[in-house]
Amino acid sequence: MSVCCYQIQLKKRTVSVSWLSWLLWCSMMLSPAWGYVIVNSVSWSVTNEVEEELDSSSNEEALPALLEDTTSIWKQSYPASVYKEDGQMRSRPVAGRSKQVSSPSRMFSYRRESVKGTDDSIAPLEQAIRTARFLSHYNSWGFLATQSTQEKIQGMPFGNYLPVSDGPINNSTGIPFFYVTPKDNSVADLMKNPVASLTLPEAEGDFCRKNVIEPDDPRCAKLTLTGQMIMVPPEEMEFAKQALFSRHPVIRKWPRNYEWFFMKMSVEHVWLHNWYGGVSTIAVEEYFKGVPSKA
């Protein structure tokens, strides 16, 4: 009798297992995920400390705090000042967080482009001066802003894109020279108020384009010179012609009836924006001592 019961019990158990296997197979066939293929995945590292806390935690409310990314694994590279501020904010106690989790600071980060020709042996101020002189010499066009004298926008800022040169390619002076006409609205403004600002962006060169940097990105440098616009005196006229005609040969053929003449900026202030953290001011005397270099 006992042998018979054992056989019946074994048979029932076998039937139950077969029935369970059939149900699992059906659920797989009818599942919405049937036929899908994983084409991409994301993984991240979990420290032993996190694993121990996950194993020991039975409270579901504690899980979100444990899984929260406390060290910004997915983090874009920014200057040290940004990380410092971020660290100060994260060091504050947060309610409901059981423990600070330590994990790799950057499992993934965007590549940070190196600063243009940075040399650790050169002081930051000297690098800024060289970059400023580089932009003033190798930019062939600049954005000149004046205070408008036009009736409808009188007193408002007015900008114009003009050809500019600080000298022939082998002779940089740091002084912007212009070839202008009285018929230009900007020149009409300067006749009444000679104060102007000139912006020379690095976007005109190859660095920003090759490194896929937007022109408004601080790493794409911008130089702004402010001062008085004056007519070139007779003793400098020949140099002004060489400076502009060598860099812009086509302007020799511009219509003479426009009464073209030469102007230059008497630089009073130098502003350079070439990295995160704001604009750098450069003393005028230091600016003129500098040598153009992609530092």
Side-chain angles (χ1 to χ4, degrees), residues 35-102:
Y36 285 83
V37 178
I38 297 176
V39 296
N40 196 4
S41 63
V42 177
S43 62
W44 58 89
S45 61
V46 179
T47 61
N48 295 331
E49 187 176 357
V50 175
E51 290 179 350
E52 293 173 2
E53 291 196 40
L54 287 174
D55 293 337
S56 61
S57 299
S58 58
N59 186 0
E60 294 182 359
E61 295 180 356
L63 293 179
L66 292 173
L67 294 174
E68 182 179 353
D69 178 13
T70 59
T71 53
S72 296
I73 291 177
W74 303 90
K75 182 185 294 182
Q76 184 174 359
S77 294
Y78 288 107
S81 59
V82 177
Y83 289 120
K84 183 177 180 181
E85 295 174 1
D86 186 67
Q88 293 175 351
M89 294 180 65
R90 294 183 182 277
S91 63
R92 300 174 185 172
V94 180
R97 181 174 298 175
S98 59
K99 196 172 184 181
Q100 187 74 11
V101 181
S102 61

